[in-house]
Amino acid sequence: MRVVILEDAQQVGSWAAEYIGRLVRQKPTVVLGLATGGTPVLCYQRIIAMHQEEGLSFSRVRTFNLDEYVGLPADDPNSYRSFMRQQLFDHIDIPASSTHVPDGMATDVTEHCRHYEQQIQDVGGIDLQLLGIGSDGHIAFNEPGSSLASRTRLKALAARTLQDNARFFGTLERVPRLAITMGVGTILEARQCLLLATGENKATAIRDAIEGPLTSQITASALQLHPQATLVLDEAAAAKLEQADYYRKAEALQVGC
Ligand code: GLP
């Protein structure tokens, strides 16, 4: 794993945006896996600036989001589809038809999940999957105990996740209890994974994911199995890493993975 430790959240967002921007320039038809949550917002803001000020085009890019709440229509202000529109899609030149977010209102969820996986296969797989991390160590909505071979499916949200995400809904009661999420196995098939983490409330999850054992209790630890996983952290999120000095030195020598 490549572990990049930067000063603050702003630097993490800019680093990730530059990384994604380089990929888009190299391969204008790149397939990006995208994430929601507070963490990638600064990255998306920088990507928007790169589009507006540097002419970076997303006209041929395809995107697949990690997850969506069950029971929220796409146009609900709290849906992840709305989040992506507000934070990114409405501000760049990507056609709406090239953006994919699971449908939280699907009537046949099993069939919808199968189709979502099929759509990913049909475009040749995801080139880069952007990820955040839950304070319980989850990626997407793969809560503790999720099979490390899991595929896109319905998942019940853990109490801690409901609590963490209540800030977006106003009250805990309004947070949907179920989500459709890409599985850990789906995520591991992306050619590259880029996980961002900022803030001290992620420090334990980050330590467990990078330096703990591979375990379904911390689904981000599955990235230890991925040959091209990069984790970009601010100082606060990296604060509990025992090998932080080693990662810094390795990064300076550019031998991260
Ligand atoms: C949700 C999302 C995850 C995200 C996590 C952390 O659970 N499903 O994909 O990584 O929140 O969000 P934040 O960046 O707001 O801490």
Side-chain angles (χ1 to χ4, degrees):
M1 285 193 282
R2 180 178 178 190
V3 181
V4 181
I5 303 172
L6 302 171
E7 224 168 275
D8 54 27
Q10 194 70 49
Q11 286 190 15
V12 169
S14 297
W15 195 101
E18 299 295 334
Y19 192 92
I20 293 169
R22 270 196 300 277
L23 214 58
V24 173
R25 281 191 198 95
Q26 275 165 19
K27 185 181 178 187
T29 59
V30 70
V31 180
L32 298 176
L34 296 179
T36 49
T39 311
V41 168
L42 291 168
C43 167
Y44 294 152
Q45 285 176 2
R46 177 76 193 107
I47 285 178
I48 293 166
M50 288 160 78
H51 167 69
Q52 291 174 348
E53 292 157 23
E54 299 162 27
L56 183 68
S57 175
F58 292 81
S59 62
R60 296 167 70 202
V61 171
R62 281 76 48 83
T63 67
F64 287 87
N65 263 78
L66 287 167
D67 43 22
E68 180 60 282
Y69 291 112
V70 165
L72 297 191
D75 61 359
D76 185 288
N78 280 313
S79 75
Y80 279 167
R81 165 63 78 177
S82 292
F83 176 95
M84 289 309 301
R85 289 192 57 187
Q86 285 157 24
Q87 300 296 336
L88 183 66
F89 297 154
D90 285 355
H91 311 286
I92 58 174
D93 61 341
I94 192 162
S97 58
S98 301
T99 66
H100 303 83
V101 180
D103 179 3
M105 298 300 283
T107 42
D108 185 343
V109 173
T110 308
E111 171 52 23
H112 179 66
C113 294
R114 191 205 58 74
H115 182 62
Y116 201 69
E117 293 264 346
Q118 188 60 50
Q119 287 179 303
I120 295 173
Q121 295 301 321
D122 290 348
V123 297
I126 291 172
D127 290 306
L128 176 120
Q129 179 63 60
L130 185 64
L131 297 161
I133 186 169
S135 60
D136 64 0
H138 71 230
I139 44 176
F141 272 133
N142 292 289
E143 297 288 28
S146 292
S147 162
L148 301 185
S150 51
R151 313 300 310 187
T152 303
R153 70 207 182 293
L154 192 64
K155 196 73 198 168
L157 303 187
R160 192 155 168 196
T161 302
L162 296 172
Q163 194 79 55
D164 285 348
N165 290 351
R167 70 188 196 277
F168 295 109
F169 290 83
T171 66
L172 185 61
E173 290 63 42
R174 285 159 69 182
V175 188
R177 267 40 187 174
L178 296 172
I180 293 173
T181 179
M182 275 190 208
V184 181
T186 321
I187 293 167
L188 291 180
E189 278 173 13
R191 289 179 193 92
Q192 292 189 53
C193 288
L194 180 62
L195 184 145
L196 313 183
T198 57
E200 60 183 353
N201 68 325
K202 300 294 172 69
T204 302
I206 283 296
R207 181 199 59 204
D208 292 349
I210 298 176
E211 296 179 342
L214 178 66
T215 170
S216 65
Q217 292 304 309
I218 306 286
T219 51
S221 70
L223 293 176
Q224 294 174 20
L225 290 171
H226 198 287
Q228 282 232 62
T230 301
L231 293 91
V232 190
L233 318 171
D234 69 356
E235 292 285 357
K240 292 188 177 169
L241 289 172
E242 269 183 36
Q243 306 291 337
D245 285 346
Y246 171 69
Y247 308 135
R248 284 193 182 92
K249 283 178 191 147
E251 189 55 22
L253 293 167
Q254 308 227 310
V255 287
C257 271

